Amino acid sequence: SLTELFSCFLKKNLIHEQVIQQLFLIFASNEFDKVSRRSSLIIISIISKSRKEVVEKRLETILKLGLGPLGQADPVIAQYTLIALQCLSLGKSRIPSENVLFARICNFVTNVCNSSNWNSVVNQAISTIFLLADRPSPILASILVEQSKEVFSSSQEMKSSKFQLGKLLLIV
């Protein structure tokens, strides 16, 4: 697989830091098209499975873009951002539930994922929380509370409410 191929390249030091820097440059730059930005993030997520420091060094950039405006507009970017974040679990104890990383993920799930196109992203977010958090239950409980408020508030339009209910059921 492509992941195994990249793993071999990394073990033999065939992928230099300049290549990784260029991938992040493409991902972070508005000058590149959507496909190029997606592709660079996918490769970053693959590399991070063998070398987690790739994500650790650039965590703020990944969060800012992948769960920020770029990720909010593109479910593929959001999903691969979450996949890249999962590498933080490699060989390390779990991250405290109070870490800002989880607040960002929760905010993203409750405020952005508002159509069925985002179901796989919601699943990925839940998996990421379970994989990384020392106590995932309180984090998911806060998402459930927020989502329940959205679903059961009377001011919602019917179409929006359907998506919110679907997301709530997906989380449960």
Side-chain angles (χ1 to χ4, degrees):
S1 78
L2 193 57
T3 303
E4 292 168 346
L5 183 64
F6 272 94
S7 179
C8 288
F9 288 162
L10 289 165
K11 285 178 185 172
K12 295 180 180 185
N13 291 320
L14 297 175
I15 299 177
H16 300 282
E17 182 61 28
Q18 294 85 356
V19 173
I20 296 169
Q21 287 173 352
Q22 190 63 33
L23 289 168
F24 272 96
L25 181 69
I26 293 167
F27 173 57
S29 176
N30 290 330
E31 296 176 17
F32 292 93
D33 65 357
K34 184 189 327 191
V35 173
S36 297
R37 294 176 90 180
R38 282 178 172 178
S39 300
S40 65
L41 180 59
I42 290 168
I43 294 170
I44 289 166
S45 71
I46 291 170
I47 290 172
S48 71
K49 290 178 182 179
S50 295
R51 206 182 272 173
K52 74 176 181 177
E53 63 272 9
V54 167
V55 171
E56 287 176 329
K57 287 181 187 176
R58 300 164 182 94
L59 183 59
E60 188 54 38
T61 300
I62 290 173
L63 289 173
K64 184 176 143 189
L65 294 171
L67 298 182
L70 181 61
Q72 291 170 7
D74 187 345
V76 174
I77 292 286
Q79 184 155 4
Y80 277 94
T81 295
L82 292 162
I83 290 169
L85 291 174
Q86 289 179 358
C87 80
L88 298 173
S89 70
L90 299 175
K92 183 180 176 185
S93 59
R94 294 180 173 249
I95 299 170
S97 299
E98 300 78 23
N99 190 294
V100 70
L101 168 69
F102 300 115
R104 302 277 286 274
I105 293 172
C106 288
N107 184 53
F108 187 82
V109 169
T110 56
N111 295 317
V112 176
C113 304
N114 292 324
S115 74
S116 59
N117 299 347
W118 292 89
N119 287 346
S120 61
V121 177
V122 173
N123 277 330
Q124 197 69 55
I126 292 168
S127 295
T128 301
I129 291 167
F130 270 110
L131 187 63
L132 298 179
D134 64 344
R135 293 179 302 119
S137 296
I139 299 168
L140 293 171
S142 71
I143 293 174
L144 282 172
V145 167
E146 288 302 313
Q147 201 57 46
S148 296
K149 287 178 187 176
E150 289 289 321
V151 169
F152 299 113
S153 69
S154 59
S155 63
Q156 291 259 316
E157 292 180 22
M158 185 56 124
K159 184 178 179 183
S160 176
S161 184
K162 287 180 190 177
F163 291 125
Q164 297 296 341
L165 179 60
K167 186 167 58 169
L168 176 63
L169 294 174
L170 182 66
I171 293 168
V172 172

